[in-house]
Amino acid sequence: MTENFARRTVLKGLAAAPLLLAGCASRGSSTPTGTLNIGQISNSVAFFPLFIAEQRGIFADEGVKLGDRPRLGTGAKVAAALKSGSIDLGAGVVTDAFNLAETDNGTRIVSSLVSEYYVDIIVATSLDVPADGASVEDKAAALVGKKIGITGPGSGTEALVKYLFGRIGKDAAVDATLVNLGAAATSAVGALKSGRVDALAFFQPIGQQAEAVGAGRIFISPARGDVPSMRGALHGVMFSTTALLDKKKDEVAAFRRAMGKALEVIHGDEAEVRQLLGQYLDKSDPAAVDALVPILRSEVPRTPDVQREAYETAKRFHLDSGLVTQAPDYSAVILE
């Protein structure tokens, strides 16, 4: 990646981050004692553990009372809700935590949810692209000049496109057309199927759904090892700020215990996992859900504790690609 490309990427990233509200301190929690409001980006597979803990009564068993559970669409909106104090915990990706940390040094990662980069590049079936055995650089080059659907600016979906283009000396903001589609699965698959976009950079299970209905195929998948430098990177996380966490210490400790038990369920009986995942992704094609079960069990950690190696891999990826200008040291951002 050239120096000029890195500089352009950083400047564009800063300009596209209205959520950061530089200089504004986070407000304290507006929810009553004993209650946690949890905002999440979407119903992607990263947040499946939250569904399990709710469905199986694990939150209740641990004494966690859930308040509002808004689906906010982007990590930027999750971070803004944390800033305002309307939610206590945000369910997003590590990109969102890094972005928030640039203006709030009280940002903390509370729990690990996925320790693989679970965004895929999905191409339309009609698009002429290199075969599966091609290098990731050749595959990235095939996306130059194309319309690529992402959830929105500053997201983990945009981050993957920027990183792949940076590897071949290109700037995704200039050398492709990034189309903001929001987080709805139907919108993403529909845009690919109709030709509104040539490709998608989207979280699981969008790729599996596109393949199940014949709208496209998974072209580049960091989680399956297509991008070796990203293998084992921390991705799905729960995060917050010390302004909120300091007021909800007991509730957050109970939440982490609940997450630990939910993660154990995912690594337990496979038939139970398939049943729960089918309920969670109730509008997905059954074939897509079947395909996801073994993938999910390989991506989800066995403990909510954030492993240093996974964090450092994610940090290198974000810094090397210019996606963030700085990222906190491991000990400074992990909730003890």
Side-chain angles (χ1 to χ4, degrees), residues 99-188:
N99 283 335
L100 184 59
E102 289 195 340
T103 58
D104 190 334
N105 60 12
T107 300
R108 297 290 182 270
I109 295 176
V110 173
S111 174
S112 173
L113 296 176
V114 181
S115 52
E116 290 288 353
Y117 207 89
Y118 67 98
V119 172
D120 297 320
I121 300 293
I122 307 115
V123 295
T125 51
S126 59
L127 194 65
D128 185 18
V129 293
D132 288 342
S135 68
V136 68
E137 289 80 11
D138 286 344
K139 288 184 174 183
L143 300 173
V144 172
K146 302 300 189 291
K147 295 174 293 184
I148 305 172
I150 60 173
T151 57
S155 65
T157 60
E158 182 188 47
L160 178 59
V161 181
K162 284 187 173 184
Y163 181 65
L164 293 173
F165 273 57
R167 288 177 65 110
I168 58 172
K170 298 291 185 180
D171 181 347
V174 174
D175 299 311
T177 300
L178 301 183
V179 182
N180 302 328
L181 298 174
T186 52
S187 297

Side-chain angles (χ1 to χ4, degrees), residues 184-247:
T186 52
S187 297
V189 176
L192 189 67
K193 198 169 186 177
S194 68
R196 182 183 172 197
V197 297
D198 303 302
L200 298 169
F202 252 77
F203 49 79
Q204 299 165 352
I206 302 301
Q208 287 76 20
Q209 288 179 228
E211 290 187 338
V213 300
R217 67 181 181 88
I218 298 172
F219 184 50
I220 303 174
S221 175
R224 73 184 178 194
D226 294 352
V227 190
S229 59
M230 296 175 66
R231 197 66 197 258
L234 176 67
H235 196 200
V237 296
M238 300 295 304
F239 66 109
S240 189
T241 67
T242 52
L244 296 164
L245 297 172
D246 287 348
K247 295 186 177 182

Side-chain angles (χ1 to χ4, degrees), residues 48-50 52-53 58 257-267:
F48 182 44
L50 297 172
I52 292 174
I58 299 172
R257 293 194 300 270
M259 282 298 92
K261 291 181 178 180
L263 296 176
E264 288 176 5
V265 170
I266 293 175
H267 290 284

